[in-house]
Amino acid sequence: MSSKSHWEKVYREKASTDVSWFQEHDALSLSMIDQTGLPTSAAIIDVGAGASTLVDDLLARGFGNITVLDLSTAALQAARARLGNNATRVQWLAGDLLDTPLPRHAYDLWHDRAVFHFLTKEQDRHAYVEKVQHAVKPGGLVMVATFAEDGPSHCSGLPVSRYNAGSLHAQFGQAFELLAQQRETHHTPTGKEQKFVYCLCRMKIGKA
């Protein structure tokens, strides 16, 4: 089964509130974004967003330049339906992140709470970092959350790579300055605990 078929099946067979990664609010991401002091005019892209409610909360905070990207059209449809008329305020992109064309140096903040830990091949991780360097403005922010070292080894039936803050930052390299790191214990809809690590980096000017 292709990656797209896998995720379409997940979102067609489960309500977006029943998947293990569901959060009513992505409180830690929102807190870290608030602490950056980004203006509401900032361009934000949420990659692998699925039907995440982060976009809802960003709109509520006044951000008006938001792009949501996911492989699953079913997930994006669920998010758009939830937002109603507000969905027209968001740019929606359906496709594989590694293959989807993104504009050069377009985004002030890159957010990912779902994609990077699924990249178990080194060449895919390198391609991801190259995509970030292409799409994020020099001096822009990159927030990536993955399963922590003591987190699950699989998610939705797929293997994942696990990290601590140091090993996650090392995947991106010296072109990215680590600004903040934080662990999170996520509680799934069924009550299980999953350990995450969040890293916030700044892409150094002149390194893109």
Side-chain angles (χ1 to χ4, degrees):
M1 181 183 293
S2 70
S3 294
K4 179 173 175 58
S5 297
H6 174 85
W7 292 112
E8 295 291 14
K9 184 173 185 289
V10 167
Y11 278 101
R12 288 193 175 119
E13 292 184 352
K14 286 188 176 183
S16 59
T17 54
D18 291 336
V19 294
S20 65
W21 51 90
F22 171 75
Q23 294 177 304
E24 186 174 356
H25 300 283
D26 188 351
L28 183 50
S29 289
L30 289 166
S31 174
M32 293 177 78
I33 291 170
D34 287 344
Q35 291 172 31
T36 67
L38 273 178
T40 55
S41 59
I44 297 174
I45 184 166
D46 189 11
V47 302
S52 166
T53 61
L54 180 64
V55 63
D56 307 52
D57 289 319
L58 290 174
L59 288 171
R61 279 165 161 74
F63 288 97
N65 188 353
I66 305 169
T67 300
V68 173
L69 186 155
D70 198 82
L71 187 59
S72 169
T73 54
L76 296 179
Q77 287 168 358
R80 294 178 72 150
R82 186 185 66 238
L83 282 170
N85 290 337
N86 280 334
T88 60
R89 300 167 58 194
V90 178
Q91 181 179 9
W92 305 90
L93 296 177
D96 185 322
L97 168 62
L98 300 183
D99 298 329
T100 301
L102 294 175
R104 180 170 172 79
H105 293 171
Y107 303 107
D108 297 289
L109 172 67
W110 175 287
H111 178 270
D112 168 12
R113 187 186 170 264
V115 178
F116 194 76
H117 59 206
F118 284 110
L119 303 180
T120 57
K121 296 179 181 178
E122 184 177 2
Q123 63 265 34
D124 288 341
R125 294 193 293 270
H126 286 167
Y128 179 106
V129 174
E130 289 177 355
K131 180 74 75 169
V132 171
Q133 291 176 305
H134 170 83
V136 175
K137 297 176 182 179
L141 300 170
V142 181
M143 186 186 302
V144 176
T146 70
F147 286 131
E149 288 181 313
D150 53 348
S153 61
H154 288 72
C155 180
S156 189
L158 300 175
V160 299
S161 296
R162 296 176 290 183
Y163 300 92
N164 59 35
S167 61
L168 180 54
H169 178 229
Q171 292 290 323
F172 288 78
Q174 293 304 308
F176 296 84
E177 176 190 3
L178 182 62
L179 300 178
Q181 57 178 285
Q182 193 160 337
R183 282 175 56 91
E184 176 189 53
T185 299
H186 167 63
H187 296 273
T188 72
T190 59
K192 294 180 180 179
E193 290 188 352
Q194 295 179 336
K195 306 294 187 180
F196 278 78
V197 61
Y198 286 65
C199 285
L200 174 68
C201 296
R202 186 182 304 280
M203 195 171 81
K204 296 178 181 178
I205 295 175
K207 296 294 184 179

